[in-house]
Amino acid sequence: MSDLPAASDLPAVSDAPAARSGTVLRGLGVGPGAAAGPAEVMGPPPELPPPRAVADPEAEIARAVRALAAVEAELDRRAAAAPTPEAREILAAQSVMASDPMLAAGVRDRVLRGADAAHALHGAFAEQAQALAAAGGHFAERAADLADLSGRAVAAVLGRPMPGVPSPGHPFVLVADDLSPADTAALDTGTVLALVTERGGPTGHTAILARSLGLPAVVGCAGILAAAVPGEPVAVDGTAGEVRTGVTEREAARVNAREAAAAREAPVPAGPGRTADGRPVDLMVNVGSAADLDGVDLTGVAGVGLFRTEFLFLGRHEQPGPDEQAAAYAKVFEAAGDRTVVVRTLDAGADKPLPFLRLPGEPNPALGVRGLRVARRRPGVLRTQLEAVARAAAGTRARVAVMAPMVSTPAEADEFVALARECGLPAAGVMIEVPAAALRAARILREAEFLSIGTNDLSQYALAADRQSSDVPDLLDPWQPAVLDLVARCAEAGAAAGKSVGVCGEAAADPLLAPVLAGLGVTRLSMAPRALPAVRAALLRRTFAECADLAERVLAADDPAEARELARTQQNGGA
């Protein structure tokens, strides 16, 4: 839930009806909670001026290079100040893209062929974006990122303000076609009441960051750009995935007052995660560095369920040395005290390129060399990381475990576990992101100590739906019964083996879904720290038997909408 503004911060309340008749639009609710306020529509990037003749090509190249440097510096500044590890990772990745030498070479080539700086930048970005869009998959996501970077670079070279989130001077609901990573990561939750985007899906960066920021959000809301009128109130229900335009200011004030009252009246549960009858469900947090634990109340928290290590590697042209890695890992372990810390080994590859890996491009990178598969080409990277983790763990009280991403077969899992043990790390598990691994979970757990399910990729691969596509968001919904079937399969295997099975994907942060996961037999839920209170409260409202009954009925649902409705009905006291 977002921090709602004081009533005095909102525009004056009026009984006057909105100028347009109301419209109810539906999309995917990706950030629970409700909020209402005046809509503000994010503006487009600056238009290109007419081309002009270039008298001094080298001076023009220098202008373009300065613009790229300004964009890179701005992204680095935003990354350093980003409120969440997810935001920091996304912004740092964009900064790397802006500093790509191939991009600079493309700009230089265009200027030497007569283009001015603005058109050279626009053309170079467009060429790269078209190539990536044509490649599809995760490359297509980078095409959208490049379009955003292009607008920023052109604005910089023209001396115009960077495009981005409006700043009307009062709280508002942000409406956009889609949000760039840089825009989403820098949102001020003190003024942005809620997010609504025309495009986007449940696993996109907008959804991930909205949840980590605690903002009510609806994505994939077709028609919102045509229906929303800047300055007129809209009401957003991020739990139901519903947006109403044409509401009066008084209605908007009532929505916010009702939400604020609910937040005040809701009990603030404490203690470890458990159901109403005491069945434990470990609640853990996702982090990218030790800084992400600053100010986080770890009372009742079992530890770090997902320590993403990619941030240390971003933008590096050489692999960080073992001493540097060990020092960075030790900071997280020390911050966690005597709690569990699960380290995910480097999750990179052709779809998430890191310069130092020097991996070639692939026609279908989402299905190529990524995650653990990188060790096939660069085995030394994984060994060095595992040795650094073991060395860092030896000097702290933390109970350190490691897990490998993108494991597909028992043989891969066995090999990883053996290597981890050889490096001095006896607690080794794997992530379940591939349906084949879920189906073979019992066999994988012969050697692996635990499983951790990444629901975003599991949805992508189970439903054959590109997680970056805006056209198939319904297929990427973690409420898809087929995805929950795979989660249940893993949980059953874990129960039989007496080993832990967790969820560290976005589904873990959904308070409506958490009791379902617990009822399926999931024993750990790892999420952004902000999501902990709501998930803890949701578990405490039900006994394990009620969770199990709900899970059984959800598995029998025909689609995500029916599954959600079953959970909502039970939450509201229905049968």
Side-chain angles (χ1 to χ4, degrees):
M1 179 181 303
S2 65
D3 297 327
L4 291 170
S8 58
D9 293 336
L10 292 164
V13 174
S14 167
D15 281 322
R20 293 160 62 97
S21 59
T23 301
V24 178
L25 300 170
R26 295 192 181 279
L28 285 174
V30 295
E40 293 293 339
V41 180
M42 200 159 80
E47 291 186 9
L48 279 172
R52 59 178 174 77
V54 175
D56 185 346
E58 289 303 325
E60 200 68 8
I61 291 169
R63 289 184 63 220
V65 170
R66 283 197 298 274
L68 289 173
V71 172
E72 181 185 355
E74 172 67 7
L75 292 168
D76 286 341
R77 184 188 66 75
R78 290 189 178 200
T84 67
E86 292 86 356
R88 191 154 47 250
E89 287 183 20
I90 289 170
L91 289 166
Q94 276 212 310
S95 174
V96 171
M97 295 170 73
S99 63
D100 184 352
M102 292 292 292
L103 179 67
V107 172
R108 179 181 181 84
D109 180 63
R110 278 174 167 73
V111 173
L112 292 177
R113 286 190 279 126
D116 59 60
H119 286 84
L121 286 164
H122 178 77
F125 274 113
E127 182 180 31
Q128 288 202 359
Q130 288 169 2
L132 293 178
H138 285 259
F139 280 126
E141 177 196 17
R142 291 194 183 81
D145 292 349
L146 284 169
D148 171 61
L149 292 173
S150 175
R152 293 174 185 277
V154 169
V157 83
L158 295 177
R160 296 178 187 170
M162 291 275 184
V165 177
S167 181
H170 57 75
F172 62 97
V173 173
L174 180 60
V175 176
D177 177 46
D178 198 1
L179 292 174
S180 73
D183 291 325
T184 314
L187 289 178
D188 178 1
T189 54
T191 56
V192 177
L193 300 167
L195 300 175
V196 187
T197 62
E198 181 97 10
R199 296 186 294 147
T203 62
H205 57 261
T206 299
I208 292 171
L209 292 175
R211 279 191 286 262
S212 70
L213 293 171
L215 285 170
V218 177
V219 301
C221 187
I224 186 60
L225 287 175
V229 178
E232 291 192 1
V234 297
V236 180
D237 186 337
T239 304
E242 181 180 289
V243 181
R244 287 188 297 127
T245 66
V247 301
T248 66
E249 293 178 353
R250 185 168 294 280
E251 287 173 323
R254 279 200 293 268
V255 169
N256 290 327
R258 189 165 56 241
E259 194 73 2
R264 286 193 301 271
E265 295 169 2
V268 181
R274 59 187 186 280
T275 59
D277 55 340
R279 170 109 169 189
V281 180
D282 286 347
L283 298 183
M284 309 180 83
V285 295
N286 299 340
V287 304
S289 70
D292 299 329
L293 290 172
D294 289 347
V296 175
D297 182 4
L298 293 178
T299 305
V301 175
V304 175
L306 173 60
F307 173 15
R308 300 182 178 95
T309 55
E310 291 76 50
F311 188 65
L312 183 63
F313 295 79
L314 287 176
R316 307 291 287 264
H317 292 275
E318 298 296 333
Q319 181 184 5
D323 291 345
E324 181 182 356
Q325 288 194 47
Y329 304 148
K331 289 180 181 177
V332 174
F333 302 160
E334 289 164 359
D338 59 357
R339 297 175 178 82
T340 296
V341 179
V342 181
V343 181
R344 182 179 69 187
T345 56
L346 184 62
D347 188 12
D351 66 321
K352 302 176 183 177
L354 294 176
F356 83 89
L357 289 174
R358 298 180 179 86
L359 295 174
E362 296 181 83
N364 197 347
L367 302 180
V369 179
R370 55 170 301 205
L372 181 64
R373 300 173 186 179
V374 172
R376 299 183 183 205
R377 293 177 180 267
R378 302 285 186 272
V381 173
L382 178 59
R383 176 177 283 277
T384 298
Q385 186 176 28
L386 290 173
E387 290 174 346
V389 171
R391 183 143 62 94
T396 70
R397 296 182 297 137
R399 297 189 294 273
V400 175
V402 291
M403 64 180 180
M406 196 66 180
V407 169
S408 299
T409 68
E412 289 179 345
D414 292 353
E415 187 174 352
F416 173 77
V417 171
L419 180 60
R421 290 173 179 161
E422 185 180 320
C423 292
L425 294 161
V430 301
M431 289 197 70
I432 299 294
E433 302 163 285
V434 179
L439 294 172
R440 300 285 287 160
R443 167 60 185 85
I444 287 174
L445 281 171
R446 283 189 201 168
E447 294 298 326
E449 291 298 317
F450 63 90
L451 305 178
S452 187
I453 302 168
T455 47
N456 292 345
D457 272 330
L458 187 59
S459 300
Q460 170 175 247
Y461 294 123
L463 277 299
D466 185 345
R467 57 183 287 186
Q468 308 307 331
S469 172
S470 296
D471 296 325
V472 290
D474 54 311
L475 297 180
L476 294 161
D477 194 327
W479 285 84
Q480 282 283 356
V483 175
L484 296 175
D485 272 334
L486 294 171
V487 174
R489 180 99 172 204
C490 294
E492 290 168 6
K499 295 181 177 180
S500 171
V501 174
V503 171
C504 63
E506 291 305 310
D510 183 347
L512 198 61
L513 186 55
V516 177
L517 297 175
L520 292 174
V522 168
T523 57
R524 285 180 173 175
L525 297 172
S526 191
M527 63 204 78
R530 188 185 286 263
L532 285 168
V535 171
R536 182 184 281 122
L539 292 172
L540 278 172
R541 282 196 289 268
R542 299 165 178 83
T543 64
F544 178 71
E546 290 170 336
C547 292
D549 175 68
L550 174 62
E552 183 177 345
R553 288 194 279 163
V554 164
L555 284 179
D558 285 337
D559 53 45
E562 182 183 347
R564 274 196 180 86
E565 189 55 34
L566 285 166
R568 252 186 228 113
T569 300
Q570 192 208 52
Q571 178 176 272
N572 295 330

